[in-house]
Amino acid sequence: MKILFALFLIPLLMVPAFAETQTLPTDKSTLDVKLTYDAIKPGVETKINIDFINPQTQKVQEHIDYTVAVSKDGETVFGPIPLTHTSLGSVKIPIEFNLGEGVYSMDFEVEGILFQPIPRETVSFDIQVGEANAQPITPPKDEKPDGENGGCLIATAAFGSELAPQVQQLRELRDNTVLKTNSGIAFMTTFNQFYYSFSPAVADFEREQPFFKEVMKVTLTPMLSSLSLLNHADIDSEQEMLGYGISIVLLNLGMYVGIPVVGILKLYQLRKN
């Protein structure tokens, strides 16, 4: 069984990773605030993605007036910034967590929505920095475990948005299929730790190089087509998960390895003749 599971894991390393995500409501529950970020190292500038979400529609809420500060053990390392307006409802803030490893606090205050002032609402996040204090932060009761709320880095960069159908397909496959079994949860946990080592660089390179972005779209499309088969499978047990997973693995090996090898051999034979 372990050997079969290993076979399932190795080829699926091609699947894009999911960043660390936290989502919490403000103290009066008017908004949800979502943070997305890659593994944070002390003293290294990290971009924190912030989305203000309407809890009724579950969509990003436009035109938010907010302020934010980051601190550790009572010492401020960022902000508090002046009251700031985001028309998109999503912002990306570069922050350097320069007080060593440990748990930092990221505190928000929201004072306006759609150009209308509201009574101040607050929300505070705990952010783990570094690995020396690797006690996992307990997620809120309504937050899903094991990165289930995360966003897909490489596919999002390739297709331009978290709302792109291809990214939604990966998210639905992860949430509705992979994370429904213990082996799937174990896979996602191990996979995320491995993939964070290089996926941010790949995603950044996609955004910087339009040609590479198009290459990644073409490269991901056959895999997305094969993975879509799992959305139509009835998977009710660990054995079924492994069975379908290995079948998808073999299909991808055929597409990404078998077909190119056969093509190269055919070309070699033609040149030889």
Side-chain angles (χ1 to χ4, degrees):
M1 185 66 72
K2 291 182 178 178
I3 295 174
L4 292 177
F5 185 58
L7 290 173
F8 177 44
L9 294 183
I10 293 171
L12 282 183
L13 291 176
M14 294 182 294
V15 180
F18 297 92
E20 177 70 24
T21 297
Q22 296 189 60
T23 303
L24 292 175
T26 55
D27 57 350
K28 297 182 178 64
S29 299
T30 300
L31 287 172
D32 290 338
V33 181
K34 175 183 176 182
L35 304 186
T36 308
Y37 50 89
D38 300 318
I40 302 174
K41 297 180 180 179
V44 178
E45 185 176 270
T46 302
K47 293 179 180 178
I48 307 293
N49 296 294
I50 304 161
D51 296 312
F52 297 95
I53 299 172
N54 184 313
Q56 277 72 46
T57 64
Q58 290 300 307
K59 295 182 179 180
V60 172
Q61 175 63 60
E62 298 178 344
H63 299 296
I64 300 294
D65 299 311
Y66 72 99
T67 184
V68 61
V70 178
S71 62
K72 180 175 183 284
D73 299 328
E75 184 174 349
T76 299
V77 299
F78 177 85
I81 64 172
L83 190 65
T84 301
H85 180 82
T86 168
S87 59
L88 298 178
S90 296
V91 293
K92 183 180 291 186
I93 300 179
I95 299 174
E96 183 176 333
F97 296 82
N98 55 11
L99 293 180
E101 298 185 338
V103 178
Y104 289 67
S105 177
M106 190 168 190
D107 304 309
F108 290 86
E109 294 182 356
V110 178
E111 299 187 27
I113 302 176
L114 291 172
F115 303 108
Q116 298 295 321
I118 64 170
R120 180 180 301 169
E121 297 194 21
T122 63
V123 61
S124 181
F125 293 84
D126 288 337
I127 298 178
Q128 177 72 51
V129 174
E131 298 179 356
N133 301 299
Q135 294 295 328
I137 299 172
T138 303
K141 293 180 180 179
D142 58 350
E143 186 174 346
K144 300 177 183 178
D146 300 300
E148 187 174 347
N149 290 320
C152 180
L153 296 178
I154 293 178
T156 299
F159 296 102
S161 170
E162 285 190 3
L163 300 179
Q166 297 87 347
V167 181
Q168 297 279 19
Q169 175 190 335
L170 286 172
R171 185 179 294 112
E172 289 174 6
L173 171 65
R174 179 198 61 191
D175 293 352
N176 300 331
T177 304
V178 177
L179 290 177
K180 295 300 183 182
T181 63
N182 291 330
S183 56
I185 292 173
F187 164 69
M188 287 304 304
T189 301
T190 303
F191 173 74
N192 284 345
Q193 291 174 351
F194 167 79
Y195 214 85
Y196 286 154
S197 63
F198 61 86
S199 60
V202 174
D204 286 341
F205 193 66
E206 286 182 83
R207 287 186 282 266
E208 294 167 3
Q209 302 293 333
F211 177 75
F212 181 67
K213 178 179 178 179
E214 295 304 314
V215 170
M216 287 304 300
K217 282 184 183 179
V218 175
T219 303
L220 290 172
T221 298
M223 182 186 65
L224 290 169
S225 298
S226 67
L227 290 174
S228 67
L229 298 175
L230 288 177
N231 289 325
H232 305 287
D234 245 348
I235 300 177
D236 298 320
S237 67
E238 301 291 333
Q239 289 75 17
E240 288 179 343
M241 181 75 254
L242 289 172
Y244 281 111
I246 291 169
S247 299
I248 295 297
V249 164
L250 295 176
L251 179 58
N252 277 278
L253 285 175
M255 291 189 296
Y256 286 98
V257 180
I259 293 175
V261 168
V262 171
I264 292 171
L265 290 175
K266 289 289 185 183
L267 287 174
Y268 177 76
Q269 290 175 352
L270 288 174
R271 291 187 61 183
K272 191 175 180 180
N273 295 333

